[in-house]
Amino acid sequence: MRNIYICLILLFHLVIINKADNDDSGVILPSMCEVCKFFVTELQSRLDETGKSKETLHVGHGLDKKKKIVYNKSELRLTEALTDPHICDKILEYNVHKERSGSNRFAKGRSETMDTLHGLVNKGVKVELGIPYELWDSPSAEVTDMQRKCFKMAEDYEDEIEDWYYKHQDKELMNYLCANIILRKDDTKCLTEKYVPKGETEEGDKKEKKSSKKEKSKPKAKGR
């Protein structure tokens, strides 16, 4: 039991060290780059879900001639992607992973630290964090701040998002909106940050994907 408590102390020391360059509460609020990155990530993901639809909408009332509009270029699709439910509510699915650096600290799922603590509780170890156990997985101050800034960003840049949607869908939204419009040129580093799990390399991951594609493209041998 004594060894478990020693491990806990070491664990919290690591967390404290990671927080040393932050404010007194250990909270690093998200930068505008991080807010834009995850706002666009979620918006693009939702648009991708409906992007291949070939549905046609018929608009017009009464004696007006009904017009046909392709759904994937319609106002309805964009409105649903942004507000049904609001895209910024997706931000609350993120957690802060203190063991990761840069914008990679924001990710869905539990962090390694919280997984360890939950594991200890499941083994019957008493762990005190200063808040009730049922609140352990509640959105952190960083995440709620990101959501608040996300709502403001969606409102402030509504016209620019519509301009991209109707005229520039051939351009990458992350680059069009974040890099070229919202952010300063010296504040775009986080947009290209990618999380690479321990023991893996980004280059190795790319080679693995290429190899997988080649295997899929090979013609199957015909049976005799």
Side-chain angles (χ1 to χ4, degrees):
M1 183 65 72
R2 183 171 177 272
N3 289 337
I4 292 176
Y5 282 112
I6 290 174
C7 288
L8 267 176
I9 291 170
L10 290 173
L11 179 65
F12 281 111
H13 273 227
L14 285 173
V15 172
I16 291 169
I17 290 170
N18 285 335
K19 293 176 178 179
D21 58 349
N22 311 332
D23 62 27
D24 293 338
S25 65
V27 172
I28 307 179
L29 296 179
S31 66
M32 285 299 291
C33 183
E34 290 171 328
V35 175
C36 199
K37 178 178 183 175
F38 294 105
F39 165 55
V40 167
T41 295
E42 292 302 327
L43 177 57
Q44 186 64 69
S45 176
R46 192 173 281 182
L47 287 170
D48 288 344
E49 291 174 5
T50 57
K52 295 180 181 180
S53 172
K54 296 181 179 179
E55 183 182 355
T56 301
L57 303 177
H58 297 267
V59 298
H61 300 281
L63 299 176
D64 295 337
K65 285 187 177 180
K66 289 190 174 183
K67 296 179 182 179
K68 290 183 179 180
I69 299 177
V70 179
Y71 174 73
N72 63 15
K73 293 182 179 179
S74 68
E75 180 182 357
L76 176 62
R77 178 181 173 229
L78 179 60
T79 300
E80 288 179 338
L82 284 168
T83 63
D84 189 24
H86 200 287
I87 194 65
C88 294
D89 288 340
K90 298 287 288 182
I91 298 298
L92 295 181
E93 295 178 8
Y94 287 79
N95 286 304
V96 176
H97 296 237
K98 298 286 186 181
E99 67 277 3
R100 302 180 188 179
S101 61
S103 62
N104 292 323
R105 66 195 174 108
F106 291 104
K108 295 180 179 180
R110 282 181 183 165
S111 66
E112 290 180 18
T113 301
M114 290 309 296
D115 258 345
T116 301
L117 295 178
H118 276 286
L120 290 171
V121 171
N122 292 338
K123 291 177 181 177
V125 179
K126 186 177 181 180
V127 181
E128 294 289 346
L129 296 184
I131 58 173
Y133 177 76
E134 57 269 20
L135 297 180
W136 279 17
D137 295 320
S138 297
S140 65
E142 295 95 329
V143 170
T144 53
D145 185 71
M146 181 184 284
Q147 187 199 32
R148 179 182 62 79
K149 290 173 179 174
C150 177
F151 278 120
K152 189 172 190 308
M153 187 172 287
E155 182 180 349
D156 289 349
Y157 293 94
E158 181 180 359
D159 291 342
E160 287 78 3
I161 294 169
E162 289 181 355
D163 189 58
W164 170 82
Y165 180 78
Y166 292 117
K167 302 175 184 176
H168 304 289
Q169 281 196 50
D170 58 318
K171 297 179 181 178
E172 186 183 31
L173 179 56
M174 188 77 72
N175 190 56
Y176 180 88
L177 187 65
C178 297
N180 294 334
I181 296 176
I182 296 179
L183 303 174
R184 301 190 314 269
K185 296 301 179 184
D186 61 348
D187 188 31
T188 60
K189 180 183 176 182
C190 87
L191 300 181
T192 57
E193 290 176 343
K194 293 182 179 179
Y195 175 64
V196 180
K198 292 177 182 177
E200 297 181 19
T201 62
E202 192 173 342
E203 194 61 36
D205 189 46
K206 287 179 181 177
K207 287 180 180 178
E208 188 176 333
K209 286 181 179 178
K210 285 182 180 179
S211 175
S212 177
K213 286 181 179 179
K214 285 181 181 178
E215 288 295 325
K216 288 181 180 178
S217 63
K218 285 182 180 179
K220 292 183 179 179
K222 295 182 179 178
R224 293 181 181 178

